[in-house]
Amino acid sequence: MNQEARANEPRYTNRLINETSPYLRQHAHNPVDWYPWGEEAIERARRENKPILLSIGYSACHWCHVMERESFASEEIARLMNENFINIKVDREERPDLDQIYMNAVQMMTGHGGWPLTVFLTPDLVPFYGGTYFPPEDRYGMPSFRRVLLAVAEAYRNDPEGIKRSAWSVLSALRRMNVTQASSELLSTEILERAYASLSRSFDQVYGGWGRAPKFPAAMNMEFLLRFYHRTRRSAALEMVTFTCRRMAEGGIYDQLGGGFHRYSTDERWLVPHFEKMLYDNALLSLLYLHVYQVTGEILFRRICEETLDWVVREMRDESGGFYSTQDADSEGEEGKFFVWTRKEIFELFEPGEAEIVCAHFGITETGNFEGRNVLHIARPIEALADDFHLSLEEAQRIIENARRRLFVARERRPRPGRDEKILTSWNGLMLQSFAEAAAILDRDDYREIAERNARFLLEHARHDGHLYHVYKDGRALFDGYLDDYAFLARGLLALHEATGTLEWLEEALALSERMIEEFWDEEQGGFFYAGRNRDDLIVRPKDFFDNATPSGNSVAAELFLRLARLTGREEFNRYAVSILRLLRDAMLSYPSAFGGALSALDLYLSDPVEIVIIAPTKEAGRELRRKAWRPFLPNRVLVQSFGEDERARKLLPLLDGRAMREGRPTAYVCQNRVCREPVTSADELAQQLA
């Protein structure tokens, strides 16, 4: 080996080099003696009676990278960690159960949480102290990581009884969090009304959305408001959604060149994002914009949906059909560098007159809006731009469309942000639903093919003997599946069944739902546990009911089961769904903004759905009827299709009983409130009935 090659060799290599997680491998050359979570590390902690330092993060997390550079790469800090602790690194996207337990603990101890998550555990895995990011020196009003390490190590040596008391107190509180009590009160529309009133009061009338900086896209709450508008025709519910969606689409939180949404806005105006892009955000938001397009017919919302899905296809799709997890905030060691621009760069790309128009449209200034550079946003819409520069609307549109293409091509030459190529079953399930519904609503065969390929990939590679796995990476399925994996994938498969009429997808959704009940249902108190029955490395078996960045598995399961009950006539699914909603009733009344997914499930439970049955000789023959069935926003619609002489379908789907084609032509039946309309054979007649 030559001298230059030896000089480039990393000085340190720890056990994380053997992991598949990109996040863990990013720490493989730290001087810290890192372990992955597992028996080897836990056994050593017990044998040596040493506390565990548990660090949890994920690859797209900016401050996780900062703490890695500042502290975990420091030989001095690594020495303190190695001498005093057994150090374990966890990728929260691989082990969301651990993340959930220890995040709850840190939030109880400190009043806040976030990533990187830093938790100190006894050898029995019980937390006794924790926090999030710690700087290497005292700053930001926070103690240095050195100071924290020394203080915790000293307390563990000199005050073991105090550590035991603290740990026991935290463990008791974590156990109490899992105790749930079903309400005996009625599940009624009053819950929906009060949720709407609460969201109305807290709505940001100036910028849209809810809350102040940092501001997160509340996709599930907006989905609930769309349903509430459909139920009540209360225009203010729709206006909150359309106003927010427009502001987000015009803001820097949306990638104006490449499509797709960044994680959140650091300000209340949707201007400067935290630049990471997450698969789950883009799954939920593409579906939201699709539904807003259904309600309003406005082409803006369709464009944002399609651009977001096209970004996923272009940048987040594995050749085998799975979707990757995240795109980093950082490139070349700087947050957002790939996405931001200077005025000088614009004038180098365009002639001066055109450059002025581009700068005006995208809000590009000399001073910038992010560390001296500019996050692109729609500062002047096309109409105003045309007036400002004395252009026709068509000419202004042409200039901006051309500019977007040229800027995108120029940006593609830059070093790209890192990408976490883990394929997570749960997040893929969310994305599957979005592609399936977009295929049906927008009549896009390419989206249908993408959805079907994704479904086949997950069922073939993330499942074995009916058992789901959480992660697929480097040709390996890893980690037993969680509730979200089963619920989200089953819901995606059900959407694909309704979009295509293919019975296989319904059968697979039913099989996963039955396995989910076996593996996760709490027979004593109701509701689903987050982790399966055979987890022996958890200090508590958590339940998750909150709809946070992603919907909770319980919310999705409730909606899924209500739909399955109405499709198949199997009443047991209805009972499980109602049990979940009763557990959540009081919480939905008290904190509606944390239960957008559950409120949508409740709306479904309280509805009289439109039942649509399409009978056709072939799928292609039924296509026009299917298109009309999907076009209006009917969130609680039940759609059943049968092609040819399909006995499997007739056995599985009671709504097909007594239904047949009229005069050998594709035929649609529409029923609601146990009243059926006259069967129709033309797409226009079906559209009139649904209107």
Side-chain angles (χ1 to χ4, degrees), residues 48-347:
E48 298 181 13
N49 190 28
K50 273 188 173 181
I52 292 169
L53 192 165
L54 174 62
S55 176
I56 302 177
Y58 59 102
S59 67
C61 165
H62 171 69
W63 286 100
C64 298
H65 296 313
V66 172
M67 193 164 178
E68 189 273 332
R69 290 194 298 268
E70 291 178 340
S71 293
F72 302 145
S74 161
E75 293 184 353
E76 179 196 351
I77 290 177
R79 179 181 57 79
L80 291 175
M81 293 172 66
N82 295 339
E83 288 176 357
N84 294 287
F85 304 95
I86 305 302
N87 304 293
I88 298 179
K89 223 359 158 165
V90 164
D91 181 341
R92 69 175 292 256
E93 293 167 0
E94 286 189 338
R95 291 299 304 265
D97 52 344
L98 296 173
D99 179 64
Q100 191 179 124
I101 292 167
Y102 294 112
M103 180 65 75
N104 285 338
V106 168
Q107 287 174 330
M108 285 189 295
M109 289 186 279
T110 68
H112 66 274
W115 299 276
L117 187 66
T118 307
V119 200
F120 296 91
L121 319 178
T122 68
D124 293 323
L125 310 181
V126 182
F128 61 88
Y129 183 72
T132 53
Y133 165 81
F134 290 104
E137 309 293 342
D138 293 351
R139 62 171 185 248
Y140 311 130
M142 291 187 285
S144 72
F145 196 39
R146 291 179 183 84
R147 187 195 298 268
V148 170
L149 292 170
L150 290 169
V152 171
E154 182 180 359
Y156 191 84
R157 282 193 302 269
N158 298 333
D159 186 17
E161 291 306 313
I163 295 294
K164 284 181 183 176
R165 285 194 300 273
S166 176
W168 175 250
S169 173
V170 173
L171 181 59
S172 298
L174 288 171
R175 287 173 173 166
R176 285 195 299 273
M177 286 182 70
N178 270 350
V179 177
T180 50
Q181 183 68 46
S183 172
S184 59
E185 298 294 320
L186 193 65
L187 291 169
S188 70
T189 57
E190 179 201 0
I191 302 168
L192 307 179
E193 289 282 353
R194 287 174 60 173
Y196 164 71
S198 175
L199 290 169
S200 298
R201 285 193 300 272
S202 57
F203 182 67
D204 183 341
Q205 302 279 352
V206 178
Y207 300 112
W210 291 265
R212 299 188 180 276
K215 186 176 278 186
F216 291 81
M220 284 164 283
N221 289 340
M222 287 191 275
E223 289 279 10
F224 161 68
L225 288 171
L226 284 182
R227 286 170 168 271
F228 190 80
Y229 167 72
H230 182 265
R231 170 181 287 275
T232 65
R233 295 299 163 185
R234 211 90 49 95
S235 61
L238 178 60
E239 286 163 8
M240 281 189 276
V241 178
T242 55
F243 182 67
T244 302
C245 285
R246 283 195 192 93
R247 294 306 299 260
M248 290 196 302
E250 293 168 352
I253 192 173
Y254 182 69
D255 182 350
Q256 299 295 334
L257 302 183
F261 287 87
H262 299 291
R263 177 69 194 95
Y264 62 84
S265 176
T266 61
D267 55 71
E268 63 185 356
R269 297 179 294 159
W270 307 109
L271 177 59
V272 177
H274 200 8
F275 289 92
E276 65 213 51
K277 286 182 179 180
M278 317 297 287
L279 185 69
Y280 59 79
D281 281 323
N282 287 284
L284 296 169
L285 288 167
S286 58
L287 194 63
L288 171 67
Y289 277 82
L290 180 67
H291 292 161
V292 180
Y293 167 67
Q294 274 186 296
V295 175
T296 66
E298 290 187 37
I299 200 66
L300 165 70
F301 302 121
R302 174 172 182 157
R303 176 173 69 82
I304 299 300
C305 170
E306 289 181 311
E307 287 179 356
T308 300
L309 294 177
D310 292 347
W311 167 74
V312 171
V313 174
R314 187 178 66 246
E315 299 190 29
M316 300 296 284
R317 185 169 175 246
D318 184 82
E319 61 183 13
S320 59
F323 301 119
Y324 300 136
S325 301
T326 62
Q327 187 183 71
D328 282 2
D330 299 7
S331 58
E332 300 180 85
E334 294 183 33
E335 184 183 9
K337 186 174 182 180
F338 179 78
F339 297 100
V340 295
W341 297 81
T342 63
R343 188 173 166 88
K344 179 173 179 286
E345 287 173 316
I346 303 302
F347 276 80

Side-chain angles (χ1 to χ4, degrees), residues 451-467:
E452 288 180 330
R453 193 168 181 208
N454 179 250
R456 294 201 188 285
F457 168 83
L458 293 170
L459 293 171
E460 288 173 13
H461 296 286
R463 182 179 64 167
H464 181 67
D465 290 338
H467 178 85

Side-chain angles (χ1 to χ4, degrees), residues 610-613 625 628-629 632 634 662 667-672 675-691:
V610 176
E611 298 169 352
I612 306 169
V613 177
L625 292 175
K628 292 299 183 183
L634 301 170
R662 305 192 83 185
T667 304
Y669 297 78
V670 176
C671 302
Q672 190 174 25
V675 176
C676 295
R677 306 282 189 91
E678 183 73 16
V680 295
T681 56
S682 82
D684 289 341
E685 288 175 310
L686 175 59
Q688 289 171 10
Q689 289 192 356
L690 295 178

